[in-house]
Amino acid sequence: QVQLVQSGGGLVHTGGSLRLSCVVSGSIFRIDAMGWYRQAPGKQRDLVAQIMKGGDRNYSDSVKGRFTISRDTVRNTVYLQMNNLKPEDTAVYYCKASTPTLGYWGQGTQVTVSS
């Protein structure tokens, strides 16, 4: 069974930093892309950052220059480094692994940024 286990969420003040981690395990054949999404209360789930198999990255406009997605292929882990956090970043953050046929989601972790 494929599992994505997230960690690293929490509560910070405006301007603070957090690093989210997502460890992938199980019978997954190939990961073509890893992404981070977030969903605020009453809002849709939106893509925040994505890293492709070849290393290309893309970010939503709202986090460019503040967030960095990276990966450790040996440990099957993807990270989201979040700097200069703002209250509008408050949301549940989800990691997602994409394969040629399926997508898998992590359990989500709360990030709260106080003003």
Side-chain angles (χ1 to χ4, degrees):
Q1 294 181 334
V2 174
Q3 288 186 297
L4 279 65
V5 180
Q6 300 178 216
S7 61
L11 172 66
V12 297
H13 294 291
T14 298
S17 298
L18 286 172
R19 189 179 76 159
L20 306 182
S21 299
C22 177
V23 180
V24 182
S25 63
S27 59
I28 190 168
F29 175 71
R30 183 177 71 187
I31 300 174
D32 294 317
M34 292 291 300
W36 287 97
Y37 296 72
R38 68 187 181 189
Q39 186 169 25
K43 302 294 181 64
Q44 66 181 0
R45 187 175 299 184
D46 293 326
L47 177 67
V48 175
Q50 185 178 60
I51 184 167
M52 309 303 293
K53 183 178 180 65
D56 290 339
R57 301 174 175 90
N58 60 80
Y59 301 91
S60 68
D61 289 339
S62 62
V63 307
K64 284 181 180 177
R66 300 188 298 120
F67 290 11
T68 303
I69 187 169
S70 61
R71 67 187 180 198
D72 183 336
T73 57
V74 174
R75 298 179 178 180
N76 297 320
T77 303
V78 64
Y79 304 94
L80 185 68
Q81 179 66 46
M82 304 182 293
N83 297 327
N84 192 24
L85 283 160
K86 304 175 180 180
E88 50 263 46
D89 296 318
T90 295
V92 176
Y93 284 70
Y94 299 87
C95 64
K96 181 186 179 183
S98 296
T99 73
T101 56
L102 295 171
Y104 301 92
W105 291 94
Q107 81 277 16
T109 186
Q110 178 70 47
V111 171
T112 302
V113 184
S114 62
S115 59

